[in-house]
């Protein structure tokens, strides 16, 4: 599953940084809490129907009794939903990420993405960030079936000797063999009842769209798998925008869609079009259901590849119950189908579980769809719109760059939300006190020991160039511009980071550069070379970075930066090494 979620990532950053406003390590084990706002309906609450809360539900599976099992991705738990919509947590503890076998709440997962259920109620889990396949009994007892937590690769073999690389989806056949979409290896793997792993189709690390047998076939980041009664495996080949079929002997054909051609067209075989299909399920009649994520629709394909749109409208995301094209989804991910032909859909960005009847009637089975806006208040009464950066001070107040509202918000430890500076819906670049100030696109935030908040903002010059600015907001909400023209922005969608040290120096990430702004607003280039991205250790301009998206600083003045394009965490000393 694709993973933006600036809201959720921001909340994780707040919790992980609690007790250390400078962003140092040593945080307690992660407890993910919904502090304020009904942010996308996200959370972790057991209950019935709309009272329940999920946090980006991903994979779904349904048993013969109509119970639905959900991989609650960002809660790192496995949830169970009865036919009446009663949600309970079967295994794992919300926000407690790890890899531990054991019963119920004692078990640990790390971003589980896919689930499948066998005939006796055992649930199989693609524990994505642990790179393992887990098994959960009907009583909630968790064991590791194959792979070793935290060790990536592509190795066939028994149990812990096997290796996976971000397994994303699982399916189970009538003999309890488990099939795995091993996404980053771009292969389809098979795990026997005893945990022995073999590669059914594809070749690790070789991306493509070739039909063929076994290793001669190729996939491109497959996102979902399902298996029918005859042992045929159906694959949502996400980046190829196709649905593939793999026989029990490993013979791969393309059932529907055209490799490399995204779109939304009903039709047969290569005439059909998908847009990053994510999840698949197959019913007893051999019909295949597809969560067509990029189109925000759920599609249905017959066994001979005739594709129709079951529910949703292509390219129109939302959260609306209704029939067929009148319904709306928001990047649907996992799909499962019961014996009566009802389809269940994990709608992650709506934080809900949806149900579709064979006639295409869509209802919300559990969870509450997102509510955005700009409202001060306590807890769920508050509203944000695209919150991005977060920082926490020594007394537990949280500061939020409410990006789409163009404001800086403050949230007390008790969850009381106020607007510290800016006016919702009125953008600009004006200094002033409280609502008289204006922000354009506030992004990264940091707070110093005196309670001053530093905000990474943007402005446009007379030539239309977008420039980075650094704003300073006092504890009373008075806004000034500390540094007005940090650097022109080339990548307008690039995330930004800001950190402040104990001396009041502010560090700002700027694509391939790390800038330093002192308390007087003087800007210097600490490391990196303008217009010269790369990946080189060294001092000052001799160092090379890809795209720096966030920064933190420790008490000794060392700066830690997330180098997104290089997939590395870098350390910069105060001397710029």
């Amino acid at each position: 599953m694709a993973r933006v979620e600036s809201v959720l990532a921001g909340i994780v950053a707040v919790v992980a940084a609690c007790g250390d406003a400078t962003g140092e390590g040593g945080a307690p084990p992660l407890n993910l809490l919904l502090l304020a706002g009904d942010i996308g309906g996200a959370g972790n609450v057991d209950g019935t129907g709309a009272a329940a809360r999920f946090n980006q539900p991903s994979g779904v599976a349904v048993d013969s009794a109509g119970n639905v099992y959900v991989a609650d991705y960002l809660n790192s738990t496995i949830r169970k939903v009865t036919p009446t919509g009663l949600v309970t947590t079967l295994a794992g503890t919300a926000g407690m990420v790890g890899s531990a076998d054991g019963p119920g709440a004692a078990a640990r997962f790390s971003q589980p993405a896919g689930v499948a259920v066998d005939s006796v109620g055992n649930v199989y889990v693609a524990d994505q960030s642990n790179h393992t396949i887990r098994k959960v009994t009907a009583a909630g007892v968790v064991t590791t079936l194959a792979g070793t937590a935290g060790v990536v690769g592509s190795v066939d073999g028994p149990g812990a000797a096997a290796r996976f690389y971000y397994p994303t989806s699982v399916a189970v056949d009538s003999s309890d063999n488990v099939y795995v979409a091993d996404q980053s290896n771009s292969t389809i793997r098979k795990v026997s009842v005893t945990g022995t792993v073999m590669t059914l189709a594809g070749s690790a690390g070789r991306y493509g769209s070739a039909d063929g047998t076994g290793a001669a076939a190729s996939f491109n980041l497959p996102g979902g798998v399902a298996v029918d009664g005859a042992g045929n495996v159906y694959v949502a080949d996400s980046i190829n925008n196709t649905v593939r079929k793999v026989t029990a002997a490993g013979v791969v054909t393309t059932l529907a869609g055209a490799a490399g051609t995204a779109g939304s067209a009903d039709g047969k075989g290569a005439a059909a079009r998908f847009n990053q299909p994510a999840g698949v399920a197959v019913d007893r009649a051999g019909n295949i259901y597809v969560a067509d994520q990029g189109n925000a629709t759920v599609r249905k394909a017959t066994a001979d590849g005739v594709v129709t749109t079951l529910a949703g409208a292509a390219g129109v995301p939302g959260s609306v119950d209704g029939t067929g094209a009148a319904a709306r989804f928001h990047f649907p991910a996992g799909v499962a189908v019961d014996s009566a032909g009802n389809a269940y859909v994990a709608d992650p960005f709506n934080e809900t579980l949806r149900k579709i009847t064979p006639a295409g009637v869509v209802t919300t089975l559990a969870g509450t769809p997102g509510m955005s806006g700009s409202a001060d208040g306590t807890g769920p009464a508050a509203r944000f719109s695209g919150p991005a950066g977060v920082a926490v001070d020594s007394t537990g107040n949280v500061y939020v760059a409410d990006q789409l509202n163009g404001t800086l918000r403050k949230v007390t430890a008790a969850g009381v939300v106020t607007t510290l500076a800016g006016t919702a819906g009125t953008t600009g670049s004006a200094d002033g006190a409280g609502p008289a100030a204006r922000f354009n696109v506030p992004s990264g935030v940091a707070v110093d020991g005196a309670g001053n908040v530093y905000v990474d903002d943007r402005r446009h010059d007379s030539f239309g160039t977008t420039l980075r600015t650094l704003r300073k907001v006092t504890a009373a909400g008075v806004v000034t511009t500390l540094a007005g023209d940090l650097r022109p922005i080339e990548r307008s969608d690039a995330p930004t980071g800001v950190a402040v040290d104990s001396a009041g120096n502010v560090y700002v990430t700027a694509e391939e550069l790390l800038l330093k702004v002192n308390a007087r607003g003087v800007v210097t280039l600490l490391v990196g070379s303008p217009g010269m991205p790369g990946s080189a250790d060294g001092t000052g301009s001799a160092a090379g970075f890809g795209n720096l998206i966030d920064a933190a600083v420790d008490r000794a003045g060392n700066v830690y930066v997330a180098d997104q394009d290089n997939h590395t965490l870098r350390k910069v000393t105060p001397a710029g090494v």
Side-chain angles (χ1 to χ4, degrees):
M1 168 184 176
R3 328 289 174 231
V4 162
E5 313 138 348
S6 60
V7 177
L8 299 165
I11 294 173
V12 170
V14 170
V15 179
C18 280
D20 186 349
T22 64
E24 290 180 281
L30 182 62
N31 288 287
L32 188 59
L33 304 174
L34 184 63
L35 178 62
D38 197 352
I39 306 175
N44 178 68
V45 179
D46 289 340
T48 302
R53 293 288 183 272
F54 302 91
N55 205 340
Q56 287 204 15
S58 180
V60 290
V62 59
D63 67 18
S64 58
N67 298 299
V68 181
Y69 300 87
V70 181
D72 199 358
Y73 185 76
L74 287 184
N75 278 323
S76 289
T77 55
I78 306 301
R79 315 288 290 280
K80 179 179 179 180
V81 188
T82 69
T84 60
L86 175 62
V87 180
T88 54
T89 301
L90 180 64
T93 296
M96 301 294 285
V97 178
S99 181
D101 292 339
R108 295 290 180 268
F109 301 90
S110 184
Q111 297 182 334
V115 286
V117 60
D118 67 18
S119 59
V120 296
N122 296 304
V123 180
Y124 300 87
V125 181
D127 197 2
Q128 189 176 67
S129 292
N130 278 323
H131 312 286
T132 55
I133 306 301
R134 316 287 291 280
K135 180 179 178 180
V136 188
T137 68
V141 178
V142 179
T143 53
T144 300
L145 182 63
T148 296
V151 184
V152 304
S154 181
V155 178
D156 291 340
R163 295 290 181 266
F164 300 90
Y165 193 11
Y166 287 113
T168 296
S169 180
V170 286
V172 60
D173 67 18
S174 57
S175 300
D176 294 340
N177 297 299
V178 179
Y179 300 85
V180 182
D182 197 3
Q183 189 172 65
S184 290
N185 280 321
S186 283
T187 55
I188 306 303
R189 316 287 292 278
K190 181 179 179 180
V191 187
S192 72
V193 177
T194 60
T196 299
V197 180
M198 55 91 67
T199 300
L200 181 63
S203 181
R206 184 167 64 86
Y207 306 112
S209 61
D211 291 338
T213 301
S218 57
F219 302 88
N220 199 344
L221 301 182
V225 287
V227 60
D228 67 17
N232 298 301
V233 180
Y234 299 89
V235 182
D237 199 0
S238 298
I239 305 303
N240 280 324
N241 300 306
T242 54
V243 176
R244 316 286 292 280
K245 179 180 178 179
V246 188
T247 69
V251 179
V252 180
T253 54
T254 300
L255 180 67
T261 306
S264 181
D266 291 341
K268 184 173 182 178
R273 294 290 182 270
F274 300 91
N275 192 351
Q276 293 192 7
V280 286
V282 59
D283 66 18
R284 292 180 176 178
N287 298 301
I288 299 99
Y289 299 79
V290 183
D292 196 2
Q293 192 170 64
N295 282 322
T297 55
V298 178
R299 316 288 291 281
K300 181 178 178 179
T302 64
D304 58 351
V306 177
V307 179
T308 54
T309 301
L310 181 62
V316 187
S319 180
V320 179
D321 290 341
T323 301
R328 297 289 182 269
F329 303 88
H330 198 175
F331 294 106
V335 61
V337 61
D338 66 18
S339 58
N342 297 300
Y344 300 87
V345 181
D347 200 0
F349 288 95
N350 282 320
E351 319 293 355
T352 53
L353 179 66
R354 316 290 290 281
K355 179 179 179 179
I356 311 175
T357 69
V361 179
V362 179
T363 55
T364 300
L365 181 62
T368 298
M371 298 181 218
S372 65
S374 180
D376 290 339
T378 302
R383 295 288 182 269
F384 301 88
S385 187
V390 288
V392 59
D393 67 20
S394 58
T395 61
N397 296 302
V398 180
Y399 300 88
V400 182
D402 198 359
Q403 194 170 61
L404 298 185
N405 280 322
T407 55
L408 179 66
R409 313 291 290 281
K410 178 180 178 179
V411 188
T412 69
V416 179
V417 180
T418 55
T419 301
L420 183 62
T423 297
T426 307
T427 60
S429 184
D431 292 340
R438 295 288 182 269
F439 298 93
N440 198 0
V441 187
S443 180
V445 289
V447 59
D448 66 21
N452 298 300
V453 183
Y454 300 87
V455 182
D456 184 11
D457 198 14
R458 305 180 183 191
R459 75 173 187 88
H460 303 284
D461 67 11
S462 58
F463 299 101
T465 302
T466 303
L467 299 170
R468 296 279 298 280
T469 63
L470 183 63
R471 316 290 293 280
K472 179 179 179 179
V473 187
T474 68
V478 178
V479 180
T480 55
T481 300
L482 185 62
D485 297 327
L486 287 174
R487 186 173 188 243
I489 293 175
E490 298 172 6
R491 298 171 60 165
S492 60
D493 62 341
T496 55
V498 56
V500 58
D501 66 20
S502 58
N505 298 301
V506 183
Y507 301 87
V508 181
T509 62
E511 295 165 336
E512 73 277 9
L513 308 178
L514 180 64
L515 307 176
K516 180 178 179 180
V517 185
N518 69 18
R520 300 187 305 279
V522 177
V523 182
T524 55
L525 174 59
L526 184 61
V527 286
S529 182
M532 299 289 289
S535 179
D537 290 342
T539 302
S541 60
F545 300 89
N547 182 34
L548 303 182
I549 63 168
D550 208 354
V553 59
D554 66 20
R555 292 176 183 175
N558 297 299
V559 183
Y560 302 86
V561 288
D563 193 355
Q564 186 181 55
D565 288 1
N566 284 319
H567 311 288
T568 52
L569 179 66
R570 316 286 291 278
K571 178 181 178 180
V572 185
T573 70
V577 180

